[in-house]
mmCIF file of all heavy atoms in Angstrom:
data_model
loop_
_atom_site.group_PDB
_atom_site.id
_atom_site.type_symbol
_atom_site.label_atom_id
_atom_site.label_comp_id
_atom_site.label_asym_id
_atom_site.label_seq_id
_atom_site.Cartn_x
_atom_site.Cartn_y
_atom_site.Cartn_z
ATOM 1 N N PRO A 12 44.874 81.270 65.690
ATOM 2 C CA PRO A 12 44.717 81.599 64.288
ATOM 3 C C PRO A 12 45.947 81.267 63.487
ATOM 4 O O PRO A 12 46.817 82.053 63.271
ATOM 5 C CB PRO A 12 44.500 83.151 64.322
ATOM 6 C CG PRO A 12 45.151 83.579 65.589
ATOM 7 C CD PRO A 12 45.170 82.401 66.548
ATOM 8 N N ASP A 43 44.102 85.170 69.869
ATOM 9 C CA ASP A 43 45.027 86.018 69.114
ATOM 10 C C ASP A 43 46.208 86.527 69.941
ATOM 11 O O ASP A 43 47.280 86.731 69.401
ATOM 12 C CB ASP A 43 44.282 87.126 68.348
ATOM 13 C CG ASP A 43 43.347 87.934 69.238
ATOM 14 O OD1 ASP A 43 43.194 87.611 70.413
ATOM 15 O OD2 ASP A 43 42.719 88.884 68.686
ATOM 16 N N ILE A 50 53.323 85.771 65.579
ATOM 17 C CA ILE A 50 52.851 86.501 64.397
ATOM 18 C C ILE A 50 52.937 88.032 64.663
ATOM 19 O O ILE A 50 52.143 88.560 65.444
ATOM 20 C CB ILE A 50 51.441 86.155 63.973
ATOM 21 C CG1 ILE A 50 51.333 84.622 63.813
ATOM 22 C CG2 ILE A 50 51.025 86.848 62.699
ATOM 23 C CD1 ILE A 50 49.945 84.130 63.613
ATOM 24 N N ASP A 52 53.096 90.396 62.115
ATOM 25 C CA ASP A 52 52.684 91.183 60.962
ATOM 26 C C ASP A 52 51.193 91.461 61.113
ATOM 27 O O ASP A 52 50.380 90.541 61.146
ATOM 28 C CB ASP A 52 52.999 90.355 59.712
ATOM 29 C CG ASP A 52 52.442 91.032 58.446
ATOM 30 O OD1 ASP A 52 51.542 91.880 58.525
ATOM 31 O OD2 ASP A 52 52.922 90.653 57.365
ATOM 32 N N PRO A 53 50.785 92.745 61.320
ATOM 33 C CA PRO A 53 49.383 93.045 61.630
ATOM 34 C C PRO A 53 48.415 92.552 60.582
ATOM 35 O O PRO A 53 47.316 92.058 60.928
ATOM 36 C CB PRO A 53 49.342 94.548 61.759
ATOM 37 C CG PRO A 53 50.663 95.077 61.297
ATOM 38 C CD PRO A 53 51.640 93.957 61.277
ATOM 39 N N LYS A 54 48.778 92.681 59.301
ATOM 40 C CA LYS A 54 47.824 92.234 58.241
ATOM 41 C C LYS A 54 47.681 90.719 58.322
ATOM 42 O O LYS A 54 46.563 90.176 58.213
ATOM 43 C CB LYS A 54 48.391 92.626 56.887
ATOM 44 C CG LYS A 54 47.477 92.160 55.763
ATOM 45 C CD LYS A 54 47.849 92.712 54.401
ATOM 46 C CE LYS A 54 46.890 92.346 53.275
ATOM 47 N NZ LYS A 54 46.243 91.033 53.372
ATOM 48 N N MET A 55 48.781 90.060 58.549
ATOM 49 C CA MET A 55 48.726 88.620 58.628
ATOM 50 C C MET A 55 47.846 88.144 59.806
ATOM 51 O O MET A 55 47.016 87.284 59.682
ATOM 52 C CB MET A 55 50.137 88.019 58.737
ATOM 53 C CG MET A 55 50.160 86.523 58.674
ATOM 54 S SD MET A 55 51.796 85.911 59.050
ATOM 55 C CE MET A 55 52.250 85.378 57.455
ATOM 56 N N LEU A 56 48.053 88.779 60.924
ATOM 57 C CA LEU A 56 47.291 88.389 62.123
ATOM 58 C C LEU A 56 45.797 88.642 61.878
ATOM 59 O O LEU A 56 44.955 87.779 62.207
ATOM 60 C CB LEU A 56 47.780 89.183 63.354
ATOM 61 C CG LEU A 56 47.129 88.787 64.685
ATOM 62 C CD1 LEU A 56 47.257 87.295 64.987
ATOM 63 C CD2 LEU A 56 47.771 89.592 65.859
ATOM 64 N N ARG A 57 45.492 89.749 61.278
ATOM 65 C CA ARG A 57 44.104 90.093 60.970
ATOM 66 C C ARG A 57 43.506 89.044 60.000
ATOM 67 O O ARG A 57 42.420 88.513 60.192
ATOM 68 C CB ARG A 57 44.032 91.465 60.376
ATOM 69 C CG ARG A 57 42.878 92.300 60.795
ATOM 70 C CD ARG A 57 42.983 93.740 60.331
ATOM 71 N NE ARG A 57 43.686 94.601 61.288
ATOM 72 C CZ ARG A 57 44.743 95.382 61.003
ATOM 73 N NH1 ARG A 57 45.237 95.435 59.784
ATOM 74 N NH2 ARG A 57 45.280 96.100 61.937
ATOM 75 N N ASP A 58 44.244 88.758 58.944
ATOM 76 C CA ASP A 58 43.744 87.809 57.936
ATOM 77 C C ASP A 58 43.539 86.429 58.515
ATOM 78 O O ASP A 58 42.562 85.740 58.224
ATOM 79 C CB ASP A 58 44.739 87.708 56.752
ATOM 80 C CG ASP A 58 44.701 88.961 55.893
ATOM 81 O OD1 ASP A 58 43.782 89.774 56.075
ATOM 82 O OD2 ASP A 58 45.613 89.109 55.015
ATOM 83 N N LEU A 59 44.511 86.000 59.307
ATOM 84 C CA LEU A 59 44.416 84.651 59.892
ATOM 85 C C LEU A 59 43.242 84.572 60.857
ATOM 86 O O LEU A 59 42.585 83.523 60.982
ATOM 87 C CB LEU A 59 45.701 84.261 60.606
ATOM 88 C CG LEU A 59 46.896 84.032 59.715
ATOM 89 C CD1 LEU A 59 48.181 83.824 60.546
ATOM 90 C CD2 LEU A 59 46.710 82.822 58.829
ATOM 91 N N THR A 60 42.961 85.672 61.547
ATOM 92 C CA THR A 60 41.866 85.708 62.471
ATOM 93 C C THR A 60 40.518 85.592 61.707
ATOM 94 O O THR A 60 39.655 84.807 62.054
ATOM 95 C CB THR A 60 41.874 86.993 63.308
ATOM 96 O OG1 THR A 60 43.121 87.044 64.031
ATOM 97 C CG2 THR A 60 40.741 87.045 64.294
ATOM 98 N N TYR A 61 40.382 86.358 60.632
ATOM 99 C CA TYR A 61 39.161 86.234 59.836
ATOM 100 C C TYR A 61 39.019 84.855 59.244
ATOM 101 O O TYR A 61 37.939 84.269 59.183
ATOM 102 C CB TYR A 61 39.207 87.260 58.674
ATOM 103 C CG TYR A 61 38.878 88.676 59.086
ATOM 104 C CD1 TYR A 61 39.713 89.738 58.767
ATOM 105 C CD2 TYR A 61 37.690 88.980 59.779
ATOM 106 C CE1 TYR A 61 39.408 91.021 59.134
ATOM 107 C CE2 TYR A 61 37.379 90.249 60.152
ATOM 108 C CZ TYR A 61 38.230 91.296 59.829
ATOM 109 O OH TYR A 61 37.927 92.581 60.192
ATOM 110 N N GLU A 62 40.156 84.318 58.799
ATOM 111 C CA GLU A 62 40.111 82.979 58.157
ATOM 112 C C GLU A 62 39.579 81.904 59.127
ATOM 113 O O GLU A 62 38.693 81.147 58.768
ATOM 114 C CB GLU A 62 41.541 82.632 57.724
ATOM 115 C CG GLU A 62 41.639 81.778 56.495
ATOM 116 C CD GLU A 62 43.071 81.739 55.981
ATOM 117 O OE1 GLU A 62 43.557 82.700 55.350
ATOM 118 O OE2 GLU A 62 43.742 80.734 56.236
ATOM 119 N N VAL A 63 40.138 81.930 60.311
ATOM 120 C CA VAL A 63 39.750 80.892 61.270
ATOM 121 C C VAL A 63 38.308 81.142 61.747
ATOM 122 O O VAL A 63 37.535 80.202 61.917
ATOM 123 C CB VAL A 63 40.782 80.753 62.386
ATOM 124 C CG1 VAL A 63 40.575 81.778 63.493
ATOM 125 C CG2 VAL A 63 40.754 79.372 62.954
ATOM 126 N N ALA A 64 37.937 82.404 61.899
ATOM 127 C CA ALA A 64 36.564 82.705 62.344
ATOM 128 C C ALA A 64 35.563 82.240 61.296
ATOM 129 O O ALA A 64 34.583 81.576 61.578
ATOM 130 C CB ALA A 64 36.422 84.202 62.625
ATOM 131 N N ARG A 81 36.895 87.124 70.251
ATOM 132 C CA ARG A 81 38.345 87.256 70.101
ATOM 133 C C ARG A 81 38.913 87.490 71.512
ATOM 134 O O ARG A 81 38.415 88.361 72.228
ATOM 135 C CB ARG A 81 38.643 88.473 69.263
ATOM 136 C CG ARG A 81 39.374 88.269 68.016
ATOM 137 C CD ARG A 81 39.753 89.539 67.380
ATOM 138 N NE ARG A 81 38.634 90.475 67.244
ATOM 139 C CZ ARG A 81 38.229 91.025 66.122
ATOM 140 N NH1 ARG A 81 38.830 90.747 65.002
ATOM 141 N NH2 ARG A 81 37.224 91.849 66.107
ATOM 142 N N ILE A 297 34.132 85.528 53.990
ATOM 143 C CA ILE A 297 35.434 86.148 53.693
ATOM 144 C C ILE A 297 35.244 87.372 52.777
ATOM 145 O O ILE A 297 36.043 88.345 52.830
ATOM 146 C CB ILE A 297 36.398 85.087 53.087
ATOM 147 C CG1 ILE A 297 36.931 84.194 54.166
ATOM 148 C CG2 ILE A 297 37.564 85.754 52.332
ATOM 149 C CD1 ILE A 297 37.763 84.837 55.241
ATOM 150 N N LYS A 300 33.815 90.855 55.408
ATOM 151 C CA LYS A 300 34.488 90.765 56.739
ATOM 152 C C LYS A 300 33.702 91.521 57.799
ATOM 153 O O LYS A 300 33.798 91.187 58.972
ATOM 154 C CB LYS A 300 35.917 91.258 56.639
ATOM 155 C CG LYS A 300 36.705 90.458 55.610
ATOM 156 C CD LYS A 300 38.107 90.176 56.080
ATOM 157 C CE LYS A 300 38.836 89.223 55.147
ATOM 158 N NZ LYS A 300 39.149 89.834 53.812
ATOM 159 N N ILE A 303 31.692 89.277 59.817
ATOM 160 C CA ILE A 303 32.456 88.546 60.832
ATOM 161 C C ILE A 303 32.707 89.462 62.008
ATOM 162 O O ILE A 303 32.556 89.098 63.192
ATOM 163 C CB ILE A 303 33.813 88.042 60.250
ATOM 164 C CG1 ILE A 303 33.574 87.188 59.003
ATOM 165 C CG2 ILE A 303 34.592 87.280 61.313
ATOM 166 C CD1 ILE A 303 34.874 86.727 58.356
ATOM 167 N N ASP A 304 33.052 90.739 61.708
ATOM 168 C CA ASP A 304 33.298 91.710 62.797
ATOM 169 C C ASP A 304 32.062 91.815 63.693
ATOM 170 O O ASP A 304 32.200 91.852 64.908
ATOM 171 C CB ASP A 304 33.603 93.097 62.212
ATOM 172 C CG ASP A 304 35.008 93.172 61.649
ATOM 173 O OD1 ASP A 304 35.883 92.401 62.118
ATOM 174 O OD2 ASP A 304 35.257 93.959 60.727
#
Side-chain angles (χ1 to χ4, degrees):
D43 50 359
I50 306 172
D52 174 341
K54 179 172 184 327
M55 185 188 253
L56 185 54
R57 219 171 271 127
D58 287 349
L59 291 173
T60 301
Y61 282 128
E62 212 168 282
V63 83
R81 240 187 311 236
I297 284 296
K300 303 220 172 69
I303 305 177
D304 285 332

